[in-house]
Every structure is written in structure tokens, then in C-alpha cells.
Amino acid sequence: MPSNTSHRRFQAYNVGLAKTGTNSIATLFGRYRSAHEFMFRETVAQIASWQEGLVSQESFKAYILERDRRGFLEMDSASFNHHYLQILSSTFPEAKFIFTIRDCYSWLNSILNMSLRYATNIPDWMLRYSKFFIGYEIERATVGNIPATQQKLPEMVESLLLYWSTYNQRVLDFLPVERCLIVKTNQISDTLETIADFIGIPPESLVVSDGHMNRAPESLQWLQFLDQVWLEERSNFHCGTLMKQMFPNWSPTP
């Protein structure tokens, strides 16, 4: 990340959820002051305290301003930025917002695979705060074991679907229309010029690699372990309206 902090050439945030391309967006802007999950542990702890009523709105906003001062980022891409989108939008009236959004089915599978891959290495503080950035509280013994995960899969999926619908809709409700760009995760690589034009930088200044820039390794297809009628019913219940709006032709592929 370039270290010149004399001025910002632009100020932009990615406010997408985890596993929607937040790392890919940060990588794209690698020639600028760009970071992924900047001050992750401290910020997630602050979000948790704020949402639990342990710190005031004023104190939390002061923390966000201090975080901004420390990073002085041009592209701040983090899976937790969406929690305080209203603060960012009102505090920084010139800032621009990219919102990466992924269909609920592939997002579910990606979140579950991430949990399984990193279960044994997840620090205790992340276990505690996991519900604030992926929608459910990780149980190390469950996600570190495939049969145990399969047994609890309906419960986990129900929670994750609710999280997907609630927070994606919340972002859409609070995005400043004149300062936002919505990018579907599977189209990031195809919309580089659009992204560059939106930010106001030359497209050739983006750091481009082949394919999806943070593609996960080969993974399990978790949705095949679910009753497909149940999955469709619960997906429609929680996510149907938003899926029809954003992904009208999408359907699960067991």
C-alpha cells in the first residue's frame, strides 16, 4: 500500500458483506492507499460493543473517525463497513461507495467453506464476534468437523439467510444513490472500466489478475446436503424479494 498521506486522490469504501469480493476490491486498488479489513479486530470489537449498547453512538463515531485518521485510506474495503454505512455517508459527503453483492446460494456455500477451512485457526476473539460479521456465532467443534456441520446445517443456513437478507437490504436502503456503484461479485472482473470511471481514475491503474482475484480453493458443495424443497422455501422466505430484484435468473445448483 503506497504510504504517501499528504492528500487523498479519492475516498471510497466497499460496504459489501464478507465473501462478496471485499479482498478482490482492495487488491484492485493496490496502486493506491488501499487496505482490506483495516484494523479488523479493534473495529469488530467496537461494532459489537456499539450494537450491544455498551458504547454510545457518539463514542462509536469518534472511533470511526480515529480509524479513518490512522489509515487515511483511499479504498477502504472491509466486510464490516456496512455496519456503520450511515456514519460514513453523513460524515464524508464526498466519499463514494462500492457495494459488492453475491447471490444468497453461492454466498452461503462460500461462508460455510470459509468456516470449515479456518475453524482450527480461528482466534477466540473472532469466535465471540463472528455473529456480527457473518451472521452466526461460530462453534469451533461444529465447523471444524464435516459430519457435525452437516447435522447443524439447517440451523446455520437459516441464520445465514436471515443475515444475508437483512444486511444487504439495509445497505441498499442507506446507500447514497448519487455516490454508489453496485457490483455483483461474479462480475467484478468484467466491470473494471465501470469501477474505474466511477471512482475517477484511469482503468489501467487498477491491479488486474486473471479471473476472480480471491478465488477460494476447491470446496464442498454444502447445499447438496440439504433438502432442496426446504432450501428453496427458506431462501424464498428470507431472500426471495431481494433475489428477484438483484438476481432474477438465479437458482441453486446442488
Side-chain angles (χ1 to χ4, degrees):
M1 178 176 69
S3 58
N4 178 15
T5 57
S6 60
H7 72 284
R8 276 186 173 121
R9 288 157 289 190
F10 58 87
Q11 184 176 8
Y13 298 88
N14 181 12
V15 293
L17 308 188
K19 305 307 294 179
T20 65
T22 54
N23 194 31
S24 296
I25 293 296
T27 300
L28 268 181
F29 287 85
R31 293 191 176 98
Y32 299 93
R33 289 195 304 280
S34 175
H36 182 240
E37 313 285 43
F38 179 64
M39 294 178 64
F40 188 6
R41 179 173 182 171
E42 304 95 318
T43 306
V44 171
Q46 285 287 326
I47 291 169
S49 295
W50 175 47
Q51 293 189 349
E52 291 172 343
L54 301 178
V55 300
S56 67
Q57 174 85 2
E58 293 74 18
S59 295
F60 181 71
K61 181 177 179 180
Y63 170 79
I64 296 303
L65 291 174
E66 174 61 17
R67 177 181 177 274
D68 176 75
R69 186 193 66 78
R70 291 189 193 181
F72 203 62
L73 299 175
E74 292 167 315
M75 170 51 72
D76 180 347
S77 186
S79 61
F80 46 79
N81 277 340
H82 67 91
H83 286 286
Y84 44 89
L85 170 57
Q86 286 175 286
I87 293 175
L88 295 174
S89 177
S90 61
T91 304
F92 304 112
E94 302 301 317
K96 295 184 177 181
F97 298 88
I98 292 175
F99 176 36
T100 48
I101 184 169
R102 186 174 188 171
D103 71 276
C104 66
Y105 299 109
S106 68
W107 180 81
L108 269 174
N109 206 61
S110 185
I111 285 286
L112 290 166
N113 275 299
M114 178 185 70
S115 300
L116 186 67
R117 281 200 307 275
Y118 301 125
T120 57
N121 297 316
I122 296 174
D124 290 340
W125 67 266
M126 191 178 291
L127 288 173
R128 178 185 173 193
Y129 297 122
S130 60
K131 62 183 177 181
F132 292 102
F133 57 93
I134 62 171
Y136 68 96
E137 192 163 348
I138 294 173
E139 297 178 14
R140 196 190 304 274
T142 298
V143 297
N145 181 287
I146 292 177
T149 301
Q150 287 179 275
Q151 186 175 1
K152 283 207 164 188
L153 198 55
E155 177 185 340
M156 296 166 71
V157 165
E158 187 87 32
S159 177
L160 287 166
L161 287 172
L162 176 60
Y163 181 84
W164 184 94
S165 62
T166 299
Y167 283 97
N168 278 318
Q169 186 60 60
R170 185 175 180 275
V171 172
L172 289 170
D173 289 342
F174 293 126
L175 273 176
V177 177
E178 71 285 358
R179 294 186 282 140
C180 76
L181 176 68
I182 299 173
V183 180
K184 295 176 182 177
T185 302
N186 65 344
Q187 296 177 358
I188 291 175
S189 298
D190 299 326
T191 56
L192 300 182
E193 287 194 16
T194 301
I195 292 171
D197 289 345
F198 171 69
I199 298 297
I201 58 175
E204 60 270 19
S205 70
L206 296 176
V207 178
V208 181
S209 60
D210 293 335
H212 184 43
M213 286 156 282
N214 190 34
R215 190 179 299 277
E218 196 69 26
S219 57
L220 283 172
Q221 296 301 313
W222 286 101
L223 304 189
Q224 70 181 347
F225 298 122
L226 293 165
D227 178 275
Q228 296 303 296
V229 174
W230 179 87
L231 174 61
E232 193 70 12
E233 191 276 325
R234 300 319 294 163
S235 298
N236 285 333
F237 178 80
H238 289 295
C239 312
T241 300
L242 191 52
M243 281 292 291
K244 288 175 184 175
Q245 175 187 343
M246 303 301 300
F247 303 94
N249 300 317
W250 199 276
S251 62
T253 304

